[in-house]
Amino acid sequence: MSTIQSQVFQNWTFKACEDQEWLPAQVPGCVHTDLLKLGKIPDPFYGTNEKEVQWIDKKDWEYQTKFDVQEKLFAQEHLELVFDGLDTYADVYVNDQHVLSADNMFRVWNVDVKAVVKAQDNVLRIRFRSPIQEDLPKLEKLGYALPAANDQSDVGELGDKKVSIFARKAPYHYGWDWGPRFVTSGIWREARLEGWSEVRINDVFIQQQEVSASVASLTAVVEIDADHAGDTVIRISTDGQVWEQAVTLKAGLQTVEVPVTIDQPKLWWSRGLGEAHLYSFVTEVLAGERVLAESTVKTGIRSIRLVRDKDEVGASFYFELNGVAVFAKGANHIPNDSFITEITAERYRHEIVSAAESNMNMLRVWGGGIYEEDVFYDLCDEYGLLVWQDFMFACSMYPGDEAFLDSVRHEAIDNVKRLRNHPSIALWCGNNEIDSAWAHFNENGGWGWKKDFNTEQRESIWADYKAVFHDLLPEVVEAYAPGIDYWPSSPLVSLTDDEKQHAHPSTSEGDIHYWGVWHSVEPFENYNVHVGRFMSEYGFQSFPEYKSVRTYAEEQDLALESEVMLAHQKNGAGNRLIKQYMDMYMHEPKDFPSFLYMSQVLQAEAMKTAIEAHRRRKPYCMGTLYWQMNDCWPVASWAGMDYLGRWKALQYYAKRSFSDVLISVDGTKEDTTDIYLISDQLEAVEGTLQLRLIGFDGTVHREEEHEVTLAPNSGQQVLSLNQAEWLQGHSPATTLLRLDLKQEGQADIVQEHYFAPSKDIGLKQAEIQVKEVKENDAVYLVLESDVLAKQVWISSEAEGVFSDNFFDLIPGIPVKVKFTSRAGLQDSSAVSSAGTIQVRSMADFIKL
């Protein structure tokens, strides 16, 4: 059998082009990480060191390796140099012959080097040109600056010269309002030599035309490269089924389509709806009995579409999976590190498992980062997480010259083809926030960008925008991933070519980014007012926990306005906003470490308000993706999980508010308290809803039970309580409403509701008792308290998560939790000992 032979390059060295000494390098990697490992620069994440390493991106760098070609590989008829990722402007030389120039971080670059490579003593050298020096002349030539809202050119010592928009490179490398500015260069994905003879399978796409529970009509689209013409048979097989087709190959590149039909297929479902079943399809090219080439791809069989049907109030916006309307629950994902090659497979798995454990079913890969590594999408496939996939454009206007468009086209084709077999991919989206930021059809709309340009410039910039996002990208998606929907920009109402196109917090079509809470200092209560058909962004900031903060700051830096705290707060007003909202909603923290804890509770309460407001409006609203899942460095940000993978309060709150069956309380009305039951399950809910009015000392003042039923995949208001009648004269500041949904054979679903704002609640120091109990070889902690203990935080010596945390502990109602180590999250056989634990509640952090 003739298969593709490959040899990954090893033993790299690097240097600044102007230097003489070659230094050891790690590939995949980048200049910053190589310099750091050699002790040539300080830790960029620590203190204010970000500003100490801005010189790196102004220099040209080169990487080099010497290699012999493996004997089997050298004997192949074709030898190709393949780079899965070069960051970004690179000239490649083999034995001092120029073989390739690269200018797009997101593309795969390959070139035949059979005529250049020797059996032994080869030298591969790559010269990376400074992305700053490369793009400054483009800015000067254009004659005006294109908007690039998050390009931190001032941090990069460039003044107002924003050049990020010219490079097809991860936008967040130039800084963002949660991330630092590290404009990297290097070989960021695998570099290898590939050889083949006779026939090579370049790509297999399992195209899904029609999918139902009874039958799946598919086509295996096979891209084949052949040395010369010949009669062959293409064989496709999976799960013991085989399909064959006789094909006469021609010399060169060609595509062959083989029809595939599977009866009673095992469908791929998102988390909560069923098994995320995956098929492995093996493709072989046969000459008689000889296998000329072979390839294996995994995919899940499913139908997915974005449903935008007109209705009496606007138009729907939801994803239909295998005929089922899915309420999307999740978050926006950014890259897990400023230095991408530092992200291990374990870190990816920790994020995806955390999302699944938090009852999510969707992540949005946001457009200012990268098209993620294959392992990310493999894990989303495995855990049943749908992916809203942006193309890598965000918060900026871009050029539209022929060279730029050609580069974008190749980038889009490479990535759509790479990702199209993943059943998790639910949508391709053109960009993040550009339509609403520019607001072409609304003179006074958007972010004020248009005022800097005359009419001719505006029309030229908008024409360039349309060329990319209304023409080029949808054409690529249609051609290379038919059946997957394309959405031009998030947020957007629809492409109307008039003022109605641009989204705002009250639109009843399309998706919405609602930032009135946070940026505009609107109250949390407004999350109940601005509910759209699909909430694709909204968020609130907090700090990481104390031990995470101490990885970048010393004790003397622990003050809200210290230089280090401000360096690790990229949203200019962020620290002030956290404090401003805390003054509005929370008790006063007693010191700075307490402020860190209180900021997390504040964030979690904000996101609970938003998520449950969205879910209560089902089916009008059918998606809620908060900003953001994760961090790329240790920082105060909107993330629910900090850079080190530690769950903040938000992550635990999200787990509860994303529960597949949820009790939610709307207490925004003055006199009444409305109780909702929401289910995303495909079975009906039947049970007993227990209501108890409980004093903070544990006294039960009133108790009722109501039989409730709920249709599958729906939500409804089940009760409306007269607040004064229920309180029976008891103080709202010392009384709570406890709700328990009891279903036969299932754990209770619970919710607490407070009649007074958090800052008005009368808290006392709690005595919390903790004991260990063993059940079925598992160890649990059982917690009990003598008085109400709010937002009980269990912190552990070992890294990991608890089954619940930041919960309220009511006297007389014990809470049982289980600790799972970080290793145990990924491997159930791993040891999950928490080590020393500490249990505290809000009363420990505030001025009583």
Side-chain angles (χ1 to χ4, degrees):
M1 182 174 72
S2 173
T3 58
I4 297 173
Q5 306 284 330
S6 68
Q7 175 180 334
V8 177
F9 296 114
Q10 308 286 342
N11 303 316
W12 288 89
T13 57
F14 85 113
K15 68 180 183 69
C17 289
E18 62 195 34
D19 294 344
Q20 299 302 312
E21 181 186 7
W22 289 92
L23 302 167
Q26 183 72 43
V27 171
C30 73
V31 173
H32 289 73
T33 52
D34 284 330
L35 290 172
L36 179 61
K37 284 164 187 166
L38 293 169
K40 301 289 187 182
I41 58 171
D43 178 358
F45 290 172
Y46 184 78
T48 59
N49 287 344
E50 177 191 359
K51 63 185 180 183
E52 303 300 323
V53 298
Q54 294 303 315
W55 58 272
I56 296 171
D57 62 39
K58 316 298 187 300
K59 290 180 178 288
D60 295 345
W61 299 85
E62 52 189 334
Y63 281 71
Q64 180 175 287
T65 185
K66 298 176 182 178
F67 65 98
D68 299 334
V69 182
Q70 296 166 359
E71 192 174 332
K72 270 187 177 181
L73 187 59
F74 195 70
Q76 301 296 317
E77 293 176 33
H78 300 270
L79 273 181
E80 282 189 1
L81 193 56
V82 182
F83 298 99
D84 288 337
L86 291 173
D87 179 15
T88 292
Y89 297 111
D91 295 303
V92 181
Y93 300 85
V94 177
N95 299 329
D96 288 330
Q97 289 195 43
H98 178 265
V99 296
L100 177 69
S101 287
D103 63 357
N104 188 320
M105 174 181 177
F106 302 124
R107 285 185 58 183
V108 174
W109 298 93
N110 57 343
V111 60
D112 196 303
V113 290
K114 180 72 173 177
V116 182
V117 169
K118 304 175 291 184
Q120 295 179 314
D121 300 325
N122 296 282
V123 178
L124 171 60
R125 182 168 57 89
I126 306 170
R127 182 187 179 105
F128 289 96
R129 306 191 302 280
S130 158
I132 306 306
Q133 310 295 1
E134 184 79 12
D135 289 336
L136 279 170
K138 297 175 187 174
L139 178 60
E140 187 175 344
K141 182 180 177 183
L142 184 62
Y144 51 81
L146 287 170
N150 285 281
D151 184 327
Q152 295 173 15
S153 55
D154 54 332
V155 175
E157 299 163 358
L158 297 173
D160 61 356
K161 294 179 179 177
K162 299 178 184 292
V163 295
S164 57
I165 44 89
F166 296 106
R168 289 313 299 144
K169 175 175 173 57
Y172 84 112
H173 282 171
Y174 296 82
W176 218 264
D177 60 1
W178 37 257
R181 183 189 186 277
F182 299 123
V183 184
T184 54
S185 290
I187 307 166
W188 74 287
R189 281 178 172 160
E190 188 176 89
R192 63 187 177 277
L193 199 60
E194 279 189 0
W196 63 279
S197 300
E198 294 188 87
V199 172
R200 174 175 69 176
I201 298 173
N202 288 343
D203 184 72
V204 177
F205 172 38
I206 306 300
Q207 185 178 342
Q208 307 189 23
Q209 279 95 356
E210 289 188 37
V211 171
S212 69
S214 58
V215 67
S217 298
L218 318 172
T219 301
V221 183
V222 187
E223 186 181 290
I224 299 172
D225 216 347
D227 267 345
H228 25 72
D231 292 335
T232 64
V233 169
I234 310 297
R235 177 191 291 162
I236 312 292
S237 57
T238 188
D239 277 16
Q241 298 183 74
V242 178
W243 301 265
E244 292 186 349
Q245 185 166 303
V247 175
T248 300
L249 295 180
K250 63 182 182 182
L253 195 63
Q254 58 225 284
T255 298
V256 177
E257 297 188 355
V258 181
V260 171
T261 301
I262 299 177
D263 292 326
Q264 278 80 48
K266 295 179 181 177
L267 299 181
W268 183 92
W269 290 96
S270 59
R271 191 219 57 79
L273 293 180
E275 180 191 358
H277 183 80
L278 296 170
Y279 284 85
S280 287
F281 286 87
V282 178
T283 302
E284 299 166 293
V285 181
L286 306 165
E289 293 301 310
R290 190 161 70 96
V291 179
L292 302 179
E294 183 180 306
S295 174
T296 301
V297 298
K298 271 189 176 183
T299 192
I301 295 177
R302 54 89 182 101
S303 65
I304 185 82
R305 70 185 185 108
L306 176 63
V307 180
R308 296 173 57 237
D309 292 339
K310 290 289 184 183
D311 56 29
E312 63 277 7
V313 288
S316 64
F317 192 107
Y318 67 89
F319 293 93
E320 183 187 84
L321 177 65
N322 302 326
V324 174
V326 177
F327 189 101
K329 301 178 291 191
N332 288 260
H333 159 91
I334 66 169
N336 275 304
D337 208 292
S338 291
F339 306 115
I340 301 161
T341 55
E342 296 299 293
I343 310 169
T344 61
E346 188 276 338
R347 286 175 67 183
Y348 275 118
R349 185 171 286 272
H350 179 66
E351 181 195 1
I352 300 307
V353 171
S354 291
E357 287 289 317
S358 302
N359 294 314
M360 295 180 178
N361 59 18
M362 177 175 275
L363 291 173
R364 174 186 175 217
V365 178
W366 164 82
I370 62 170
Y371 305 95
E372 276 294 352
E373 298 292 339
D374 292 340
V375 63
F376 175 89
Y377 302 97
D378 290 342
L379 289 164
C380 289
D381 294 344
E382 177 184 345
Y383 283 91
L385 294 179
L386 294 164
V387 174
W388 169 314
Q389 177 68 52
D390 283 5
F391 286 97
M392 292 303 117
F393 301 88
C395 302
S396 305
M397 301 306 288
Y398 292 88
D401 58 272
E402 188 176 344
F404 186 83
L405 293 178
D406 183 61
S407 181
V408 169
R409 185 180 300 279
H410 282 289
E411 166 192 325
I413 291 170
D414 278 1
N415 286 285
V416 170
K417 286 179 70 174
R418 176 170 71 94
L419 301 181
R420 61 187 175 178
N421 280 316
H422 289 282
S424 53
I425 297 289
L427 182 75
W428 281 95
C429 178
N431 68 71
N432 177 71
E433 295 187 340
I434 306 179
D435 182 271
S436 56
W438 181 259
H440 188 71
F441 301 106
N442 183 347
E443 180 60 32
N444 297 313
W447 298 358
W449 287 352
K450 296 192 298 293
K451 65 180 175 56
D452 294 328
F453 304 95
N454 61 40
T455 301
E456 183 181 351
Q457 290 169 337
R458 290 185 189 188
E459 292 302 325
S460 174
I461 292 168
W462 184 242
D464 289 345
Y465 172 90
K466 291 175 67 176
V468 175
F469 302 109
H470 296 180
D471 299 331
L472 188 160
L473 293 179
E475 288 169 6
V476 169
V477 173
E478 175 62 29
Y480 293 94
I484 296 297
D485 285 293
Y486 173 82
W487 188 239
S489 182
S490 179
L492 184 79
V493 176
S494 63
L495 286 187
T496 58
D497 278 334
D498 60 23
E499 193 173 335
K500 295 176 184 176
Q501 178 166 306
H502 312 308
H504 57 79
S506 299
T507 45
S508 59
E509 296 185 33
D511 67 318
I512 286 175
H513 294 189
Y514 171 57
W515 285 102
V517 175
W518 185 258
H519 288 304
S520 299
V521 206
E522 293 178 18
F524 291 172
E525 291 74 16
N526 278 14
Y527 280 129
N528 294 281
V529 177
H530 299 295
V531 180
R533 310 310 292 261
F534 195 105
M535 306 301 291
S536 45
E537 263 195 41
Y538 57 92
F540 195 91
Q541 275 202 3
S542 73
F543 279 82
E545 64 183 78
Y546 174 80
K547 66 180 177 182
S548 295
V549 171
R550 287 289 278 111
T551 65
Y552 64 82
E554 299 297 330
E555 284 291 338
Q556 64 265 26
D557 301 318
L558 300 185
L560 203 54
E561 298 298 315
S562 76
E563 187 180 9
V564 170
M565 285 304 118
L566 292 175
H568 288 256
Q569 169 56 270
K570 287 295 186 173
N571 180 228
N575 290 359
R576 175 183 60 78
L577 283 172
I578 294 173
K579 186 177 187 311
Q580 188 172 347
Y581 273 103
M582 197 177 294
D583 291 343
M584 290 165 60
Y585 288 102
M586 294 285 164
H587 294 278
E588 184 180 356
K590 65 183 183 183
D591 53 26
F592 191 75
S594 299
F595 184 89
L596 302 178
Y597 161 89
M598 293 292 286
S599 78
Q600 290 200 18
V601 172
L602 180 70
Q603 176 193 37
E605 288 286 337
M607 293 299 90
K608 170 186 165 71
T609 303
I611 291 167
E612 297 193 13
H614 304 157
R615 293 194 68 188
R616 287 196 298 268
R617 292 292 299 277
K618 179 180 180 175
Y620 175 84
C621 176
M622 284 296 288
T624 178
L625 308 178
Y626 65 78
W627 186 270
Q628 67 208 61
M629 180 72 192
N630 55 324
D631 272 327
C632 69
W633 75 317
V635 66
S637 83
W638 295 273
M641 191 172 72
D642 76 18
Y643 170 71
L644 295 165
R646 294 167 179 157
W647 284 28
K648 295 182 182 179
L650 164 55
Q651 204 65 43
Y652 289 102
Y653 268 59
K655 178 180 180 178
R656 296 194 288 266
S657 291
F658 283 150
S659 176
D660 290 339
V661 177
L662 173 73
I663 305 168
S664 182
V665 181
D666 180 3
T668 58
K669 295 176 184 175
E670 190 172 337
D671 301 320
T672 58
T673 300
D674 296 332
I675 299 169
Y676 289 76
L677 194 57
I678 303 112
S679 171
D680 297 327
Q681 294 181 344
L682 300 186
E683 303 83 32
V685 175
E686 295 184 4
T688 302
L689 183 62
Q690 180 189 53
L691 286 73
R692 282 177 286 174
L693 186 72
I694 304 176
F696 290 0
D697 62 355
T699 304
V700 178
H701 300 300
R702 180 173 177 175
E703 183 173 352
E704 283 185 8
E705 289 190 348
H706 298 266
E707 297 304 310
V708 292
T709 59
L710 183 66
N713 201 17
S714 67
Q716 69 182 51
Q717 181 181 325
V718 292
L719 287 172
S720 185
L721 309 181
N722 181 292
Q723 186 169 308
E725 180 189 327
W726 255 85
L727 280 170
Q728 297 178 328
H730 296 288
S731 170
T734 57
T735 315
L736 65 92
L737 178 66
R738 165 78 175 208
L739 302 111
D740 292 70
L741 177 64
K742 300 177 181 297
Q743 300 174 87
E744 189 174 341
Q746 298 184 43
D748 287 3
I749 294 162
V750 305
Q751 182 74 274
E752 290 97 24
H753 173 69
Y754 293 85
F755 296 100
S758 182
K759 69 180 300 181
D760 296 336
I761 287 174
L763 293 179
K764 294 180 180 179
Q765 201 71 45
E767 289 290 333
I768 299 174
Q769 303 295 321
V770 184
K771 63 180 180 181
E772 285 191 1
V773 297
K774 284 191 176 180
E775 291 182 15
N776 303 322
D777 297 325
V779 177
Y780 294 85
L781 301 177
V782 177
L783 291 82
E784 296 187 76
S785 179
D786 61 336
V787 297
L788 174 71
K790 278 194 67 63
Q791 282 95 14
V792 173
W793 176 32
I794 316 170
S795 53
S796 58
E797 179 185 16
E799 294 294 334
V801 302
F802 290 90
S803 55
D804 200 3
N805 212 341
F806 292 92
F807 52 81
D808 293 356
L809 197 53
I810 303 167
I813 306 178
V815 172
K816 183 172 70 174
V817 300
K818 182 184 177 184
F819 175 79
T820 304
S821 69
R822 184 156 171 167
L825 275 177
Q826 307 190 34
D827 177 4
S828 58
S829 65
V831 176
S832 279
S833 171
T836 302
I837 66 163
Q838 188 174 12
V839 180
R840 289 163 288 180
S841 69
M842 183 177 283
D844 297 308
F845 295 99
I846 62 175
K847 295 180 178 179
L848 288 174

